[in-house]
Amino acid sequence: MNLGDFHQLVSQDVKRGNSLDSVIPLRVAMAAMFLERNYSMLYMRQPIEITLNPADANPRFIDLEQDVKSIGYLRYMDSDGNYQRLSRVSPLDIAQLVEGPPGGFWFSGRSAIILDKTPDDAYVLEGEGKFYTNWPSDLSARPWLVTRAADLLLAQTMIYIGNHLRDLQIVQQYRGMRDESLKTVMLSEEESEYDGMDAQISYASKYQD
């Protein structure tokens, strides 16, 4: 299923002919934004790899070129072959600007970060972040929410359309479907993230001698 097919699916559920053709694409995008704001799904995770250039006009400023929800980790390998992880810090904690290997970063807006030090070498930062989708307008596009969670996206879209039509029956009907679909999606996400990992179970008694 592509985005165009999904718009047709929504239209079939609305049962209003072509009267909402201009409304449906925006409500679909709003539904996707709602789900990504409130739930972090695995498809939102993307690798980060950036080579710092000390010769840049502002080498501390890193444009990630996409709105980021969170950054799981950032690190680089030092000259001894050891990974050095960057911590998230507050710019108010930086007393002076010095050159050297970066040790921390903070967000600048939603799509950029700033390093705590001016890099003195071409460090290669690697890591992982959760990024918001730049929702496509191309009807042949196949975003993950359409191809793997169409029921969830449909339900949230119909809630927005119900509000647009001031039809509380539609809102109530699809709210239940949204909640049930969300449960299955999150269970699948949990399985994908943890299945195959070694489980460590502690059997220590809460009563200590």
Side-chain angles (χ1 to χ4, degrees):
M1 181 185 298
N2 60 30
L3 187 56
D5 297 329
F6 186 79
H7 288 173
Q8 288 296 317
L9 177 64
V10 175
S11 181
Q12 291 167 10
D13 270 36
V14 175
K15 299 181 177 67
R16 298 293 178 97
N18 298 325
S19 63
L20 295 178
D21 282 0
S22 63
V23 172
I24 289 174
L26 179 58
R27 295 307 186 277
V28 171
M30 289 172 59
M33 287 188 287
F34 172 88
L35 293 171
E36 289 190 348
R37 281 199 312 269
N38 287 279
Y39 308 98
S40 295
M41 289 165 273
L42 293 179
Y43 77 88
M44 298 172 66
R45 292 185 179 180
Q46 297 181 29
I48 299 171
E49 184 170 327
I50 302 163
T51 300
L52 303 180
N53 184 357
D56 284 346
N58 188 358
R60 297 169 56 227
F61 182 86
I62 299 173
D63 186 358
L64 298 174
E65 300 180 351
Q66 192 173 348
D67 283 355
V68 61
K69 185 174 186 180
S70 65
I71 291 181
Y73 70 94
L74 276 177
R75 65 184 184 181
Y76 66 91
M77 187 173 289
D78 63 22
S79 57
D80 295 324
N82 299 313
Y83 277 116
Q84 302 296 330
R85 186 167 178 172
L86 277 64
S87 302
R88 186 172 175 182
V89 299
S90 168
L92 298 178
D93 294 332
I94 307 302
Q96 58 181 341
L97 182 60
V98 298
E99 287 191 359
F105 69 93
W106 61 87
F107 282 106
S108 175
R110 299 296 299 188
S111 60
I113 59 175
I114 297 178
L115 302 176
D116 63 339
K117 296 178 183 177
T118 301
D120 59 350
D121 201 352
Y123 301 100
V124 178
L125 299 183
E126 63 176 57
E128 183 181 78
K130 295 175 184 175
F131 292 85
Y132 292 108
T133 301
N134 293 324
W135 196 252
S137 57
D138 181 0
L139 297 181
S140 65
R142 296 167 59 87
W144 188 90
L145 284 171
V146 167
T147 60
R148 292 292 179 266
D151 54 342
L152 175 59
L153 184 60
L154 173 64
Q156 185 60 47
T157 300
M158 291 298 293
I159 290 172
Y160 279 128
I161 290 178
N163 287 324
H164 173 75
L165 297 174
R166 299 182 181 179
D167 189 329
L168 292 181
Q169 185 175 354
I170 290 178
V171 173
Q172 292 170 356
Q173 174 186 350
Y174 283 91
R175 184 174 289 155
M177 175 179 170
R178 189 271 312 275
D179 293 345
E180 288 301 314
S181 298
L182 182 60
K183 289 179 184 178
T184 64
V185 168
M186 299 314 291
L187 284 172
S188 176
E189 293 287 292
E190 184 176 337
E191 180 179 356
S192 297
E193 183 166 14
Y194 298 111
D195 193 29
M197 295 179 65
D198 292 335
Q200 295 183 353
I201 303 175
S202 175
Y203 294 97
S205 171
K206 68 177 181 178
Y207 301 106
Q208 301 295 331
D209 294 333

